[in-house]
Amino acid sequence: MDLILQLLFTGIGIGAVYALVALGFVLIFRATNVVNFAQGEFSMVAAFLMVVFAVDLQWPYWLSFLLAIGGMALLGALFNLGVYYPLRHRTYLPVIISTIGASIFLANTTLALYGPQPQVLPPVFETQGFLVGPVYLDTQYLLIIAVTAVLVAFQYWFFEHTLLGKKLQATSQDKEMAALLGIPVAGMIMLTFVYSAVLGGIAGILVAPVLFVSIQMGGTIALKAFAATIIGGFGDVTGAIIGGLALGIIETFGAAYISVPYKDAFAFIVLVAFLALRPQGIFGERIAEKA
Amino acid sequence: MRTTRRVFLKSAATVAAAGVVAPSIIRPASAQGGTLRIGMVLPVTGPGADAGRFALNGAKIALEAVNKAGGVLGKPMEIVTEDDQTTNPGAVLAFSKLASQPDLVAFLGSIRSTQNHAMAPDILKTGKPVAFGGTDPVLTQLGNPWLFRFRPNDSFSARVIAEYGVTTLAKKKWAIIHSTDAFGTSGAKALTEALGKSGATVALDQGYSNQSQDFTPVVLAIRQSGADVIGSYFTFENDLGIFARQLRQLGVQAPWVGSASIVNVTALKLAGPSLYNTYGVADYAEESSDAARNFGKAYRAVMKIPPDNQSSWTFDAVTVLAKAINAAGKTDPKAIREALLAIRGHEGAEGTYNFDQNGDGLHGYNVVRNDKGNIVFDKRIDFYKG
């Protein structure tokens, strides 16, 4: 039982990270009908920004966090203008390829600017963790779970109970109709990119003390987050959360009870199974309709 | 051992400045004539990029020393680099790009066994000596006459890990943790054999795939196995750092004797206190010999940080290649090969080079201990029988 509880805690912690990044995937997909394959690199860039501000320059953690998030908002805006906007009238394929190009660009630019050495970002809390009975609770994982819960609640409230959120929803559902209704569609899409970059950035900053800060961290997380969105259903916020958590738990338990080396394979077996048997995901709409 | 970004930036600036002052160090691929050129496959991108930076630093320091001493065959030596992207296809592509340049007389291969395996068929076709750092024993048993290893192979590291753990630490019940790549798998196999001969038992043999984000199931398996000592073969420092932290967080305090990556500069930085009081078998240990100390001094003078095995083997490879080519008196590949095989008693940063007929230059390891982040040399165990 101790073993199960320990695995469950770790699985939920890792799954919450996937869920956070998956939320960014979902938001952009809803607004633009394309998958942003640079979502993971948003996490990586934010983590490196935190290292620059909090470790290299030794500025206060809260200030570094605000600056890193501000940087991500700017990056999201630039990404929209440079990667999505010029191709917005094309089919989804050139835009997807453009996001892949952007992810390579972001990874290599960070490598060129910062160098290849992995970095350590100290955790928010000095206490690394504590025992509750036989189960070790890592404070950083607790923080990740808590922040994910808060962001999901915020997102639900924002989309369902604010005028801006409803405008964003209208834009994602039918851009032409939204424009006819006077909604500034380009502005809404810009806002979506900014918010998803911030979400990816928060995920990167939260996970950095656990996984270290490296050029590869974004790609690793994004692959799993992408699988999570497929499981949950592209375009479905709840699905992204459930998909992320499910994936974290599946791979952790799969590693413990079936095979550690095939840990990553479990995620992709589940992904393939969903694509083959239920492409709309647990809750989501049919991918075919969107794509 | 503590390093900062500022130190790295200063180091980079120093190297850049050194490049301007001593332009013979590294030149673009197009520069030819009047120099003796060797190729170098190294990771500039991908998860091994950090190791690639150390490897290049070591090669540069050796190159500067070689050229200061008069170069090779009366010409300045030059290194031409290609990025292997830390992948097997990348390594094959990088090597083929270098191999297509007929004036390159020899090459530096990869520190990663898997990549050397991938390149081996092309190396055989090219027919020129390749100095490499991968420690899979099989590499020098492939019958490929052009492969020359500049690190001790894992049959030696496994014997040293087993001997130290069983004899010195008096631990008999082992958990072996290893990457599932060629390096980790062959290392674990060699360690299992060595432990069997030492009368110890393997309670757990657990592989993991590179770039793992979580080792909780591995740590829990160690805990459940009841092992009283851990032996490991980790490929990437990031994985080792995550494992080390989770191991200690989840309460496993068993002694840990790891392969060389456990004492790499990057691993020490990432894992910090989680690696205190662990043991490593290190091909490079600064206090192990005068040659190692001299390399450490030269490296620190330029880079302002301590070296590790990622840079010491390339330092030795460039130095020994230069020595062999000078001894051969010509750039004929067969003559260089014969000169390499004839090298005896060369004191390098990693140890004393005595090439055997398989192309293995080193036959022993140092045992070191992590004393609050400082690597303390314990002893060298050498199996060379001239």
Side-chain angles (χ1 to χ4, degrees), chain B residues 284-295:
Chain B
Y284 177 72
E286 196 161 354
E287 291 307 313
S288 62
S289 69
D290 286 342
R293 264 188 291 277
N294 290 339
F295 170 65

Side-chain angles (χ1 to χ4, degrees), chain B residues 138-214:
Chain B
V138 174
L139 279 163
T140 45
Q141 295 159 10
L142 294 170
N144 187 334
W146 303 107
L147 288 172
F148 291 87
R149 192 190 321 256
F150 282 78
R151 294 180 65 206
N153 75 48
D154 283 329
S155 64
F156 302 119
S157 71
R159 285 165 69 181
V160 172
I161 290 174
E163 183 178 315
Y164 194 79
V166 174
T167 309
T168 308
L169 301 177
K171 300 293 179 186
K172 296 272 186 185
K173 196 172 179 185
W174 287 69
I176 301 175
I177 310 302
H178 63 93
S179 160
T180 49
D181 63 15
F183 155 74
T185 309
S186 66
K189 191 179 159 207
L191 181 55
T192 304
E193 283 170 14
L195 288 172
K197 286 176 188 165
S198 305
T201 57
V202 177
L204 175 75
D205 182 341
Q206 183 64 75
Y208 70 88
S209 49
N210 290 334
Q211 310 295 314
S212 286
Q213 297 124 52
D214 174 50

Side-chain angles (χ1 to χ4, degrees), chain A residues 2-3 6-7 10-11 14 18 56-58 108 111 113-120 128-129 131 134 136 138 141 208-216 220-221 224 251-253 255-256 259-264, chain B residues 2-6 8-9 44-51 53-54 180 206-218 220-221 223-224 237-242 245-246 249-250 265-266 269-271 274:
Chain A
D2 304 349
L3 182 71
Q6 186 68 63
L7 291 171
T10 309
I14 283 277
Y18 300 157
D56 296 341
L57 299 172
Q58 299 192 339
N108 284 300
L111 179 68
L113 289 175
Y114 203 91
Q117 201 194 33
Q119 300 292 325
V120 179
Q128 286 199 358
L131 283 168
Y136 179 84
D138 187 311
Y141 274 137
V210 180
L211 300 185
F212 305 121
V213 181
S214 68
I215 304 293
Q216 293 75 38
T220 314
I221 299 170
K224 300 290 178 61
E251 67 174 22
T252 304
F253 276 84
S259 167
V260 172
Y262 287 99
K263 182 167 167 264
D264 290 339
Chain B
R2 192 174 160 80
T3 54
T4 65
R5 177 70 189 150
R6 197 169 297 157
F8 275 109
L9 288 172
V44 178
T45 55
D50 188 42
R53 188 176 56 116
F54 275 84
T180 49
Q206 183 64 75
Y208 70 88
S209 49
N210 290 334
Q211 310 295 314
S212 286
Q213 297 124 52
D214 174 50
F215 283 89
T216 306
V218 177
L220 295 178
R223 218 162 64 176
Q224 284 190 316
E237 290 81 2
N238 230 53
D239 291 331
L240 192 144
I242 295 170
R245 204 169 43 197
Q246 291 188 325
Q249 282 176 346
L250 293 173
V265 171
T266 302
K269 180 185 174 185
L270 293 181
S274 306

